[in-house]
Amino acid sequence: MAAAAVLGQRGACCAYGAAAGTAESGGTEIIAYHHISTVSASLVSRSTEDLASGRRARLRRTWLASPRCKDLPSSTNYVISGHDRLALDSCSSTTSPSPSFRITAAAAAAAADGAGAEDTAVATPPPLPESGGDSAGGGEHAQLVDESHTLTLDGIRNTLIRLEDSIIFHLIERAQYKWNLPTYDARMISVPPHNLSLLAFLLRETERLHSNVRRYTSPDEHPFFPDAIERPLLPPLLYPKVLCAGSGVVNVNPAIWKMYIEWLVPQLTEEGDDKNYGSAATCDVLCLQALSRRIHYGKFVAEAKCREAMEEYDRLIYNKDREGIIKKLTVEAVEDAVVRRVELKARTFGQDILESGVAAACDSEEPRKIDPKIVARLYQDGIMPLTKEVEVEYLLRRLDFPSTP
Amino acid sequence: MAAAAVLGQRGACCAYGAAAGTAESGGTEIIAYHHISTVSASLVSRSTEDLASGRRARLRRTWLASPRCKDLPSSTNYVISGHDRLALDSCSSTTSPSPSFRITAAAAAAAADGAGAEDTAVATPPPLPESGGDSAGGGEHAQLVDESHTLTLDGIRNTLIRLEDSIIFHLIERAQYKWNLPTYDARMISVPPHNLSLLAFLLRETERLHSNVRRYTSPDEHPFFPDAIERPLLPPLLYPKVLCAGSGVVNVNPAIWKMYIEWLVPQLTEEGDDKNYGSAATCDVLCLQALSRRIHYGKFVAEAKCREAMEEYDRLIYNKDREGIIKKLTVEAVEDAVVRRVELKARTFGQDILESGVAAACDSEEPRKIDPKIVARLYQDGIMPLTKEVEVEYLLRRLDFPSTP
């Protein structure tokens, strides 16, 4: 929770951009893994230092032994994002976009429309309605307007705070069941026809189902399995036009997936196996969806911050100054307050309420259904760095589309 | 919360069995509706009296205008349950089961095995694995054993208390969105191919998906759409053999559905429409699943209570003494404690946690994300009467199967 710890994580995050163009520039998958391991290795390191729990130590071994997660869902959007960043790095000293960057931007726009551009292993999804995919704008046929105010700039702060509750509720639900490792390992349980792990199967099919009720036309929802998304059965919904048109391309779900499976679940749950794999996976789906929504909400945060200091951000974005953008985005006092608040929320929501009907003391040190410190660390070292990654990736694209608000 | 109120509801519940054989004995659907309306009309009446909210008054009109909910899912199990009860009523003065009851019991056993027996409108589900359907026992191929202890008699109390938290978490999540009536009315939004309401579609397809990961082989899980259940993709799981073999036949989901849609959602949510129908329905699915699990857990409660006073229950069951069973099952002090506890939980979990990091007062009168009184009333007038209904229906079948533990 100390500011220094936040800074340490911040440093690791910055290193990723620099390395991408050098030793690990050979392929986007490696780039993605490099990024993910940077964030998550920090989490593992902390867990072994801080939690004084011997059983957690093997996590580091697991981590190092598996260069990438077998079940890591491929993400068309994310792959393009990697290329895009390479292009950005390669042309960072020019005053106008290079030809290669223009091509990448076009591919990004195509991806935002739901068409797989480079990852041939991913089936081409069916066409989405006109407001689909990125959904920053609405199609001509849109008649229904989202009136929840959760996606307006005015609503950002409330939405972020409300999402903390959702995440903690879902984590508490998941913690009812043991770790149940076979849920996540396709070598132990493999579900046909794609031989996915149980969780990957359940999340993929849930995303397919929810795409029917237009979940992924909302600009704050990002699928883990873009190839499973189907055309909505509902008429399109018109969302407030807040984000720049190409924003759908930024999708860090592979990193969220890896962080969740390899760091969070083993910390959160009791070690062992109660065979309730289906129940665990059902809870996992809710946790992953809530985490993804919270982290990708960084796009709205970035847009709001950018509008407050337009000139300065324009200069940083134009110069592709990744570190400068991160520095400008960061307000340590706010981050520390968030970490304190989520720990208190976990302490409050995770308590056993007394049967007598007398109010329990929220700040007592009774054991909780989840360890509040893990929620604090999740925010500090997982959610906030990944959100910042989303913010930076979003901002770096912000000037490249004519329809930027 | 007063004992008198509990008694009032209890009276209404008892009246249902008597009426079933007289004015409304023409069809099981009407019987089901009669039962549902008995419980729920009481809820509506209380809401108009107690909440002093003018807008709620129209609920009563809606209620009376629609003799049955258009989207009420047909339930093979429940339909048989209705016939079964008719048969029970008709032979309540005899000392041995009548021939018609024996037939019904056989049909019930068939239904427990997953085959639609009487409701021809429901497609015959595919065969389930040997431990499927009722699942009180495991098939020959079962190798995995549930080790969660949630389905053992020792674990009953903890499970019930833990389910309170789950229900309240899900209700808080649902309350983020407005009422969004079109979510529930197939005349406003109709999803092909079955022209279901949006919620009915989403719940049905979620049940189909979750049946793949063996959700409905667990004896505490009951589908709202039995016709959508598919064969699990996972190997069977062996659960503790606690319930009598025919217990799968008792399924009050149609009553839960009606109570939820027509009473709870309008009370819980802000009036109006924010167009977030998909989000609302996704939360509704979680609420309905949690409510169904909690209410059908009454089978385990009944079994535990029965084992504590075997002789007395045997006599009551043998005499089909429904009112006697209800009286024997009821401990008012315990029920009052439950109502106080869930209200306190809703007050605690529904609070806005202060940003300062200082613990909020759990018993303060700050507005909550949901009204704690509604949760108390939900338990008092909805969950507990329906649980008691499950308990009675379960016990009335308990002596009819050779494998009763």
Side-chain angles (χ1 to χ4, degrees):
Chain A
M1 261 73 62
V6 175
L7 273 171
Q9 184 50 43
R10 201 170 295 138
C13 217
C14 298
Y16 140 67
T22 58
E24 298 193 301
S25 62
T28 48
E29 275 194 325
I30 297 176
I31 291 170
Y33 167 67
H34 176 217
H35 163 59
I36 295 160
S37 66
T38 305
V39 172
S40 306
S42 162
L43 289 166
V44 174
S45 171
R46 284 169 181 280
S47 75
T48 48
E49 285 168 21
D50 301 349
L51 289 188
S53 166
R55 76 175 173 93
R56 306 296 186 194
R58 73 172 178 288
L59 275 177
R60 182 194 289 274
R61 290 198 301 277
T62 309
W63 191 271
L64 295 176
S66 65
R68 52 179 162 155
C69 179
K70 193 169 182 301
D71 295 323
L72 189 66
S74 60
S75 163
T76 306
N77 288 341
Y78 195 71
V79 167
I80 292 175
S81 170
H83 281 287
D84 204 340
R85 189 168 48 249
L86 268 186
L88 283 169
D89 290 340
S90 68
C91 67
S92 62
S93 61
T94 64
T95 52
S96 66
S98 68
S100 70
F101 175 65
R102 273 192 222 110
I103 292 167
T104 312
D113 289 332
E118 304 205 19
D119 187 350
T120 52
V122 176
T124 305
L128 293 169
E130 290 185 26
S131 68
D134 173 61
S135 288
E140 286 179 3
H141 304 300
Q143 295 175 335
L144 295 169
V145 179
D146 169 44
E147 295 171 11
S148 65
H149 303 295
T150 53
L151 297 180
T152 61
L153 293 181
D154 288 344
I156 283 178
R157 189 170 169 281
N158 288 339
T159 305
L160 288 175
I161 291 175
R162 185 62 191 75
L163 280 168
E164 293 164 4
D165 298 27
S166 300
I167 290 170
I168 292 168
F169 290 159
H170 294 316
L171 294 179
I172 291 172
E173 290 295 285
R174 174 59 184 90
Q176 293 176 88
Y177 305 99
K178 291 188 178 179
W179 184 353
N180 289 337
L181 187 58
T183 309
Y184 312 107
D185 191 336
R187 291 165 302 187
M188 301 170 82
I189 297 177
S190 170
V191 186
H194 300 294
N195 295 326
L196 297 174
S197 72
L198 178 57
L199 174 58
F201 166 79
L202 196 65
L203 179 56
R204 190 175 189 279
E205 294 306 310
T206 301
E207 290 192 338
R208 183 199 303 281
L209 173 57
H210 287 184
S211 69
N212 293 153
V213 297
R214 82 179 164 215
R215 180 173 193 137
Y216 300 102
T217 66
S218 176
D220 64 337
E221 295 282 1
H222 298 72
F224 286 79
F225 295 90
D227 62 310
I229 301 311
E230 293 180 348
R231 190 186 183 87
L233 298 169
L234 299 185
L237 186 60
L238 190 65
Y239 294 98
K241 190 174 167 64
V242 171
L243 304 181
C244 74
S247 68
V249 78
V250 178
N251 181 335
V252 300
N253 276 340
I256 296 171
W257 171 275
K258 202 164 177 66
M259 184 263 293
Y260 181 78
I261 305 296
E262 301 195 14
W263 180 77
L264 185 54
V265 174
Q267 297 291 332
L268 188 72
T269 57
E270 188 182 341
E271 191 173 25
D273 189 327
D274 57 27
K275 308 294 187 297
N276 282 232
Y277 308 140
S279 302
T282 308
C283 295
D284 290 327
V285 166
L286 296 171
C287 291
L288 283 167
Q289 289 178 326
L291 288 168
S292 177
R293 193 170 168 223
R294 166 61 182 78
I295 288 166
H296 287 103
Y297 210 77
K299 297 177 187 180
F300 291 86
V301 176
E303 182 63 36
K305 287 181 177 174
C306 189
R307 290 191 195 182
E308 283 175 1
M310 193 76 89
E311 274 188 30
E312 193 170 355
Y313 274 106
D314 277 2
R315 183 179 51 76
L316 292 165
I317 295 167
Y318 192 77
N319 293 328
K320 324 292 183 201
D321 183 356
R322 179 177 289 270
E323 295 204 24
I325 293 172
I326 290 176
K327 191 175 173 191
K328 178 75 183 159
L329 286 169
T330 303
V331 184
E332 283 176 30
V334 172
E335 293 183 355
D336 291 346
V338 169
V339 171
R340 280 200 307 276
R341 186 174 61 228
V342 295
E343 183 174 339
L344 180 63
K345 283 186 176 183
R347 200 175 295 284
T348 305
F349 302 150
Q351 66 186 313
D352 281 324
I353 302 292
L354 302 177
E355 196 164 352
S356 63
V358 176
C362 293
D363 52 357
S364 78
E365 288 304 319
E366 292 283 312
R368 298 303 202 270
K369 295 186 188 78
I370 53 172
D371 180 352
K373 296 276 183 208
I374 291 173
V375 177
R377 198 172 292 120
L378 168 66
Y379 260 80
Q380 185 173 51
D381 300 340
I383 291 175
M384 294 197 308
L386 286 170
T387 303
K388 215 165 285 180
E389 183 66 20
V390 168
E391 292 177 13
V392 173
E393 292 296 326
Y394 170 80
L395 288 175
L396 285 174
R397 281 159 187 75
R398 196 178 176 278
L399 301 182
D400 299 322
F401 294 91
S403 60
T404 298
Chain B
M1 260 74 57
V6 175
L7 273 169
Q9 182 52 42
R10 200 171 295 138
C13 216
C14 298
Y16 138 68
T22 57
E24 298 193 301
S25 62
T28 47
E29 276 195 322
I30 296 175
I31 291 169
Y33 167 67
H34 176 218
H35 163 58
I36 296 161
S37 67
T38 305
V39 173
S40 306
S42 161
L43 288 167
V44 174
S45 171
R46 284 170 180 279
S47 74
T48 48
E49 284 168 19
D50 301 350
L51 290 187
S53 166
R55 75 176 176 94
R56 307 294 188 195
R58 73 172 178 289
L59 277 175
R60 181 194 291 273
R61 288 198 302 277
T62 308
W63 191 271
L64 295 175
S66 65
R68 52 179 161 155
C69 180
K70 192 170 183 300
D71 297 322
L72 191 66
S74 60
S75 163
T76 305
N77 288 340
Y78 195 74
V79 168
I80 291 175
S81 170
H83 281 288
D84 205 340
R85 188 169 50 249
L86 268 185
L88 283 168
D89 288 338
S90 69
C91 66
S92 62
S93 60
T94 65
T95 53
S96 66
S98 69
S100 69
F101 175 65
R102 273 191 223 111
I103 292 166
T104 312
D113 288 333
E118 303 206 20
D119 187 349
T120 52
V122 175
T124 306
L128 293 169
E130 289 186 28
S131 68
D134 174 62
S135 287
E140 286 178 4
H141 304 300
Q143 296 174 335
L144 296 169
V145 179
D146 170 43
E147 295 171 10
S148 65
H149 303 295
T150 52
L151 298 180
T152 62
L153 292 181
D154 289 343
I156 283 179
R157 191 171 166 279
N158 288 339
T159 305
L160 288 176
I161 291 175
R162 184 61 192 75
L163 280 169
E164 294 164 3
D165 298 27
S166 301
I167 290 170
I168 293 168
F169 290 160
H170 294 316
L171 294 180
I172 291 172
E173 290 294 286
R174 174 58 184 90
Q176 294 177 88
Y177 304 99
K178 291 188 177 178
W179 184 353
N180 289 338
L181 187 58
T183 309
Y184 313 108
D185 190 336
R187 292 165 301 188
M188 300 171 81
I189 297 178
S190 169
V191 186
H194 300 294
N195 295 328
L196 297 173
S197 72
L198 178 57
L199 174 59
F201 166 79
L202 196 65
L203 179 56
R204 189 174 190 278
E205 294 306 311
T206 301
E207 291 192 338
R208 180 199 304 280
L209 172 57
H210 288 184
S211 69
N212 291 154
V213 297
R214 81 181 164 214
R215 180 173 193 137
Y216 300 101
T217 67
S218 176
D220 63 338
E221 295 283 0
H222 298 71
F224 286 79
F225 295 90
D227 63 310
I229 301 309
E230 294 180 348
R231 188 184 184 89
L233 298 170
L234 298 185
L237 186 60
L238 190 65
Y239 294 98
K241 191 173 164 67
V242 171
L243 303 182
C244 74
S247 67
V249 78
V250 179
N251 181 335
V252 299
N253 277 340
I256 296 170
W257 172 276
K258 202 164 176 65
M259 185 262 293
Y260 181 78
I261 306 295
E262 300 195 14
W263 180 79
L264 185 55
V265 174
Q267 297 292 330
L268 188 71
T269 58
E270 186 183 341
E271 189 174 26
D273 188 328
D274 57 28
K275 309 292 187 298
N276 282 233
Y277 307 139
S279 303
T282 307
C283 296
D284 290 327
V285 166
L286 296 170
C287 291
L288 283 166
Q289 288 178 326
L291 287 168
S292 177
R293 192 169 169 224
R294 165 61 183 79
I295 288 167
H296 288 103
Y297 210 77
K299 296 178 187 179
F300 291 84
V301 176
E303 183 63 35
K305 288 181 177 174
C306 187
R307 290 192 195 182
E308 284 175 1
M310 194 75 91
E311 273 190 31
E312 192 171 354
Y313 274 106
D314 276 3
R315 183 179 51 75
L316 291 166
I317 295 167
Y318 192 77
N319 292 328
K320 322 293 182 202
D321 183 353
R322 178 177 290 270
E323 295 204 24
I325 294 173
I326 290 176
K327 192 175 173 189
K328 178 76 182 157
L329 286 169
T330 304
V331 184
E332 282 176 31
V334 171
E335 293 183 353
D336 291 345
V338 169
V339 171
R340 279 200 307 275
R341 186 173 62 230
V342 296
E343 184 174 339
L344 181 63
K345 283 185 176 184
R347 200 175 295 284
T348 305
F349 302 150
Q351 66 187 311
D352 280 324
I353 303 292
L354 302 177
E355 196 164 353
S356 63
V358 176
C362 292
D363 53 356
S364 77
E365 288 303 321
E366 292 284 311
R368 297 303 200 271
K369 295 187 188 75
I370 53 173
D371 180 351
K373 296 277 183 207
I374 291 173
V375 177
R377 197 171 293 122
L378 168 67
Y379 260 79
Q380 186 172 49
D381 300 340
I383 291 175
M384 294 198 307
L386 285 170
T387 303
K388 215 166 285 181
E389 182 67 21
V390 168
E391 292 176 13
V392 174
E393 293 296 327
Y394 171 79
L395 288 173
L396 285 174
R397 280 157 188 76
R398 195 177 176 282
L399 300 182
D400 299 322
F401 294 91
S403 60
T404 297

